[in-house]
Amino acid sequence: MSSGDAALQSSSSKASKKPTYSRFTQQELPACKPILTPELIMAAFIFLGITFIPIGLSHLSASDHVVELIDRYDEDCIPVDNSNSEAAYNKRIGYIQDVKTDKTCTRTLIVPKKMKHPIFVYYQLDDFYQNHRRYVKSRNDEQYRNPAADHKTAHCEPESMNNDNQPIVPCGLIAWSLFNDTYSFSVNGNSLPINKKGIAWESDKTHKFGSKVYPKNFQSRSLIGGAKLNESIPLNQQEDLLVWMRTAALPNFRKLYGRIETDLEANEMIKVVINNNYNTYTFKGKKKLVISTTTWIGGKNDFLGKVYITVGGICLFIAVAFISVYLIRPRPLGDPAYLSWNLDPASN
Amino acid sequence: IVLRGCELRNTKSAIGVAVYTGKETKAMLNNSEIIYLSIFLVTLCTVVCISHGVWLIKHKDELDLIQFYRKKDYSGSEVENYEYYGWGMEIFFVFLMSVIVFQVMIPISLYISMELVRVGQAYFMIQDDRMFDEATNSRFQCRALNINEDLGQIKYVFSDKTGTLTENKMEFQCASIGGVDYDNGKASSEDGGIEYSSAQVDGVTLRPKMSVKVDIELLNLSKTKDTDEGKHIRDFFLALATCNTIVPLTIESSDPAVKLIEYQGESPDEQALVYAAASYGFMLIERTSGHIVVDIQGERQRFNVLGMHEFDSDRKRMSVILGFPDNTVKLYVKGADTSMFNVLNNSSNTNNNIIKPTQAHLHSYSSKGLRTLVIAARELTLSEFQHWQSSYESANNALMGRSNLLRKIAVNIENNLGLLGASGIEDKLQEGVPEAIESLRMAGIKVWVLTGDKQETAVSIGYSSKLLTNEMTRIVINNNSKDSCKRSLEDALGVCKKVKNGVSGAVNSQLALIIDGSSLVYVLDTELEEQLFELASKCDVVLCCRVAPLQKAGIVALIKKRTDDMTLAIGDGANDVSMIQRADVGIGISGQEGRQAVMASDFAMGQFRFLVPLLLVHGHWNYQRMSYMILYNFYRNAVFVLILFWYVLFTGFTLTTAITDWSSMLYSIIYTSLPTIVVGILDKDLSRATLLKHPQLYGAGQRNESYNGKLFWVTIFDTLWQSIAVFFVPLVAYWASNVDGSSLGDLWTIAVVVLVNLHLAMDLFRWYWITHAAIWGSIIATFVCVMVIDALPFLPGYCKIFVQYYRPNDIQIAREAEKFEDSRVSRQVQIEMTRFRDPLTQLV
């Protein structure tokens, strides 16, 4: 009998198409089945609430420690009244486009609180769409990187060739519109040095811009977009350019101008001499000078702290609301009596 | 219709029309959401291009100064435009560009992942060892890959009977002879029977092809020729062996000395009876129109067939008149119990003694689901016989109304019969059919049985498979004209109303509709269809008997035309093909009756009972997984597109994308696709055991609970607000700061990927190690990809976002955005799970 059985089995197993058993094929893999119980949810919300609120508070206090000076100078540094009339507008443009006039402008800032070094100096442009599609695309990274590729000016139109059909290095509208206001600081008559080294990204200097690529034919056409470049300095040393070329994400943006490496005491008067060259008047943009310290959250920013506190507060509120609902109308979890067909006797 | 995958052979040319294409494909019919999404996409694009147009017009004067529009060289006299085509064309280009940028919205990747998921689901269905049929050694087969999720939404099951519910094997089970119940269940022994169930003919042993279990007591009794009891029994078996239309065929067997007799006939019941008679030693060996040869326990006897009245549905019986070798003439009648008891001889005492117990036995047989037949006989006197013979011959020769005449004669002669006994034949149900039907009905699936068999058979199978129960109110419609059909339909509707209204307090409000094919002729494709549908939808059980194959399809169409409910047809034979093709889901039983049904089907399996795991378990899973996956895909793509869209609003409507093109491309390929697919294949909301325990859970699919318009809009709303949170929190945080485009873009990329993957993670029911790997792996892969994309110098934006001194900021914001979402998602899930709907929804 046993031999017959075995023979039967062997013959059937040879032909059998029975799926071989495994936990995977039978979909019986071990699994963790988290169920969101009311206790778990309440705990989670309370946890979120009590972690977020301190985070938010620390953000706010950090932001509070940041000392930030913002000075909008585009309106005051121009001898034209800031009315919206057509005439004023034309006058402003005439002033800024005139190469011969001296555009220096002196501003005085008062340090409200002690500022510890390093103090960052930014320029801020508002309503400048550095993220306009055509603007963003108007560059050629290969030309900037490779000294042998100065003729590669694809995408750089219309700033690709000068009038003698020589390639412009660096080509493109971004480089062409390089910001060219300059600032010089002095405190109590002593000039305050600004460190302009190391303001660009390290990776830009080492990889993206070549150390043997020198500016050529830059700003040589009749339309001048912005700053000129020293042709004896390779592109990767032109840190202002590098900062500028890293196009801003948003229409209101700041760019690093330099660092002040000394502390500033409270109530000190800073005299800033501005060369107001950059034309934001045609598109009615704003120019601001920003001097700021940093903390671990970066610059002054209350928003994040507020968001954290709001979310934390909402979490706590929900937790409380949920607990009260839970206490008023508890439902035992997994009670089969609550299944819909058990609730409704008519359906059975 | 030539289905996909069919091959035409030996055909020189064919003219074809492609059907079910374009709008009629399942994808289009099922996904009206695609249209919404397209509208959504077009809306986004239109908003962008209109805003752009407005911007252009508003800044018309300044355009001259914008270098990328005007190639103005003030030194030269000529002023030429540089890629500025007038605002009309500009808008048009912006529109086209936005279509390209936002095309992630249309979930093309969804179709690819859906296909992959379906393949995975099919793999698991095939591999399921609970759907493996040992008997035929056949696995479950998926022949269509695109309707896995429909299995979770079936509302109507149309089932063939023979070969689907039953094994298509009739088996003689028990007999009541002379008022004594011989149930061979109690003392069955095959060995005892076999020696007698063979006959020697010219040195060759004949043996019936199938042997039946034999009751030894009965067998021994049948051998005693002298007693009354023995005579009765011998008469009974003789009637079984002769009163039929079976033709015996001898076929060779492996042993040359033994030949097998195979009985062929149109009725499987008769086959079973003849095999049974043969097992008891009454072996039918030969039949011609004139005579019958029966081997009676080794002794060959020849009977003349003097006349035969075939079965008809009015009389519900058949009879044969045999001339015995000793010149006596006997009439044997066999028929349904209802028709037989009227024609029995009530005056005879012995007969009356038998009738009562036989009726009792019949009742117990039929309640067991056996098919019963009553056998009776009468010895004809010579005058009776001669009278009958003359009228039989004249009727046979009549040109007009022959069948009517014959029937009259039959009625005349079939009376005053002596009851011999009754037989119980089991139409063997497949294993587990009653349980399966029970489960399906509990799951809210309406089971309709469509069979070609006659009504009695269908009803008895209905009982044995628990489709029909004694508490049900039966509505029977048998009609031969349109008017009467209409009347009975109206009556039935009346009954229906009465039962549903009047008996609301009573236990029984279940209705069963039994309708036959001849009535259906007048109903289908006429205005009565509507009434039938109304009636049928009120009935819990519908049995259709004597239906032609095309009518089966007609009934399926009746339902499909009027409801959106999913229909499933299951059958095994060629006569079910039309029905299988017509239904939304066609299932073929790979049984005895050839392969046509399997070839036409979407799925094929070995047994009817596999329908339960297929629908309740796999169908439920597939439906739930697929619908979640579709919704999730919409959500995932829409979040991404909306983030692109919000950014466009801050770039002068010029379609600059902060997120790199590579990331947009990889988003639905690497960043987020794998978890979806894994979840679509593996996630299980409930375990197999739970689903089988509570078949009612299947109702979720029938009610479209996991995928409906409301959920779709909820998802879209969800998407909207999550994208706003993810986009605007970093935006406001970085407003007027020195962040550059690609850093912020990468932040958004990572935030959105983490967000959608976490969203998926929170909606998961089961965490396998595979799920863990897929979700966390995707997030890690995203980080790697973003870094690689940024590091490759030819790709825009070389930045090490996380090494600069903004580092805390980035991480804070990313985390912040995620957490923000986390809490929200968990809130939502929580509400759904605990059902504190009213108070909390207001709170949130």
Side-chain angles (χ1 to χ4, degrees), chain A residues 15 17 26-27 32 41 52 131-134 157 203 222 246-247 249 254 301 307 311 318 322 329, chain B residues 73 83 127 137 139 625 647 654-656 684 733 738 740-741 767 798 816 819-820 827 830 836:
Chain A
K17 289 187 212 149
Q26 299 310 314
Q27 307 193 50
C32 156
I41 290 303
F52 274 21
N131 58 13
H132 192 285
R133 186 180 178 87
R134 292 200 170 183
E157 285 292 328
S203 56
S222 59
R246 194 159 264 281
T247 50
R254 285 175 190 179
N301 196 334
V307 168
V311 173
I318 289 171
F322 195 77
R329 279 183 55 194
Chain B
D73 195 338
E83 284 188 11
Q127 288 292 327
N137 191 22
R139 287 185 191 190
R625 291 164 179 169
Y647 188 64
T654 51
L655 294 163
T656 317
K684 300 198 288 188
N738 54 357
D740 64 281
W767 284 90
Y798 183 83
E816 201 281 326
K819 286 291 179 190
F820 206 49
R827 231 171 293 152
Q830 179 56 25
F836 286 125

Side-chain angles (χ1 to χ4, degrees), chain A residues 144-145 147 205-206 209-214 233-237:
Chain A
Y144 306 157
R145 189 175 62 244
K205 284 201 262 182
T206 52
F209 290 84
S211 56
K212 296 200 176 90
V213 184
Y214 295 93
I233 302 174
L235 283 187
N236 74 332
Q237 301 299 319

Side-chain angles (χ1 to χ4, degrees), chain A residues 21-174:
Chain A
Y21 176 85
S22 81
R23 300 189 75 163
F24 176 70
T25 56
Q26 299 310 314
Q27 307 193 50
E28 286 163 0
L29 283 178
C32 156
K33 294 178 273 182
I35 270 209
L36 294 169
T37 59
E39 292 82 6
L40 190 72
I41 290 303
M42 284 182 263
F45 274 117
I46 292 172
F47 173 77
L48 286 182
I50 56 180
T51 40
F52 274 21
I53 290 177
I55 294 176
L57 289 175
S58 61
H59 263 90
L60 279 185
S61 84
S63 168
D64 210 38
H65 280 102
V66 174
V67 186
E68 190 179 69
L69 277 170
I70 301 177
D71 178 48
R72 180 177 174 191
Y73 63 88
D74 57 304
E75 282 180 334
D76 298 334
C77 286
I78 199 159
V80 181
D81 65 285
N82 47 14
S83 69
N84 268 331
S85 69
E86 185 95 357
Y89 177 76
N90 289 335
K91 251 169 136 181
R92 279 198 287 269
I93 290 173
Y95 172 83
I96 201 79
Q97 283 181 343
D98 190 348
V99 196
K100 283 160 206 135
T101 44
D102 176 26
K103 301 192 191 86
T104 44
C105 164
T106 308
R107 312 280 297 164
T108 314
L109 306 173
I110 299 166
V111 180
K113 270 200 271 179
K114 181 181 160 77
M115 296 171 88
K116 281 195 182 150
H117 77 275
I119 300 163
F120 293 88
V121 179
Y122 303 95
Y123 52 92
Q124 176 173 343
L125 298 177
D126 286 0
D127 297 330
F128 188 107
Y129 282 80
Q130 235 194 346
N131 58 13
H132 192 285
R133 186 180 178 87
R134 292 200 170 183
Y135 184 85
V136 170
K137 301 259 174 220
S138 185
R139 63 191 291 159
N140 191 318
D141 284 317
E142 180 159 17
Q143 192 205 41
Y144 306 157
R145 189 175 62 244
N146 188 349
D150 56 359
H151 57 281
K152 293 215 167 167
T153 56
H155 308 299
C156 286
E157 285 292 328
E159 288 299 322
S160 54
M161 300 285 179
N162 72 357
N163 295 341
D164 307 325
N165 252 345
Q166 292 299 306
I168 298 171
V169 182
C171 74
L173 284 168
I174 309 178

Side-chain angles (χ1 to χ4, degrees), chain B residues 172-178 180-184 186-187 213-224 229-230 232-234 236-237 240 276-277 279-282 297 365 422:
Chain B
F172 179 78
Q173 277 290 332
C174 45
S176 156
I177 306 170
V180 184
D181 183 12
Y182 297 97
D183 188 345
N184 56 354
K186 43 191 176 182
K213 286 188 281 183
V214 176
D215 186 333
I216 290 176
E217 191 193 348
L218 183 58
L219 185 66
N220 291 335
L221 279 173
S222 73
K223 277 185 264 179
T224 56
E229 209 178 14
H232 213 101
I233 291 167
R234 291 172 72 87
F236 178 77
F237 281 117
L240 290 191
S279 298
Y280 283 100
F282 294 77
Q297 290 167 349
Y365 290 173

Side-chain angles (χ1 to χ4, degrees), chain B residues 583-771:
Chain B
D584 295 300
V585 179
I587 294 186
I589 300 272
S590 35
Q592 287 96 351
E593 278 196 48
R595 303 268 305 153
Q596 287 102 320
V598 173
M599 296 307 283
S601 66
D602 302 314
F603 302 98
M605 54 194 189
Q607 299 263 320
F608 180 80
R609 76 190 137 96
F610 296 156
L611 208 52
V612 174
L614 178 68
L615 295 185
L616 298 192
V617 179
H618 288 286
H620 180 92
W621 285 342
N622 290 348
Y623 167 72
Q624 186 268 332
R625 291 164 179 169
M626 191 59 82
S627 37
Y628 179 73
M629 201 187 88
I630 293 172
L631 284 178
Y632 174 75
N633 268 278
F634 287 155
Y635 155 81
R636 175 189 90 175
N637 292 337
V639 166
F640 190 77
V641 167
L642 280 172
I643 284 177
L644 292 176
F645 174 74
W646 302 133
Y647 188 64
V648 166
L649 301 185
F650 292 89
T651 62
F653 317 104
T654 51
L655 294 163
T656 317
T657 51
I659 296 169
T660 56
D661 298 345
W662 281 93
S663 284
S664 319
M665 226 167 69
L666 295 179
Y667 177 74
S668 51
I669 301 172
I670 294 179
Y671 297 174
T672 56
S673 67
L674 200 60
T676 350
I677 294 171
V678 168
V679 167
I681 296 176
L682 285 179
D683 197 27
K684 300 198 288 188
D685 55 347
L686 291 165
S687 70
R688 178 191 293 269
T690 319
L691 286 172
L692 288 177
K693 194 173 151 207
H694 299 297
Q696 292 94 328
L697 291 169
Y698 188 75
Q702 294 167 332
R703 294 188 294 271
N704 276 333
E705 269 179 19
S706 316
Y707 184 67
N708 49 39
K710 192 179 138 219
L711 269 181
F712 177 76
W713 290 112
V714 166
T715 309
I716 290 294
F717 173 76
D718 226 22
T719 310
L720 206 66
W721 107 258
Q722 291 190 19
S723 71
I724 288 175
V726 161
F727 177 80
F728 284 96
V729 169
L731 178 95
V732 179
Y734 278 116
W735 191 254
S737 77
N738 54 357
V739 71
D740 64 281
S742 50
S743 304
L744 199 52
D746 289 345
L747 173 64
W748 275 321
T749 313
I750 288 163
V752 73
V753 169
V754 171
L755 165 74
V756 296
N757 278 317
L758 277 184
H759 182 107
L760 181 73
M762 305 215 52
D763 286 353
L764 263 186
F765 292 107
R766 259 155 222 254
W767 284 90
Y768 303 101
W769 62 266
I770 304 174
T771 332

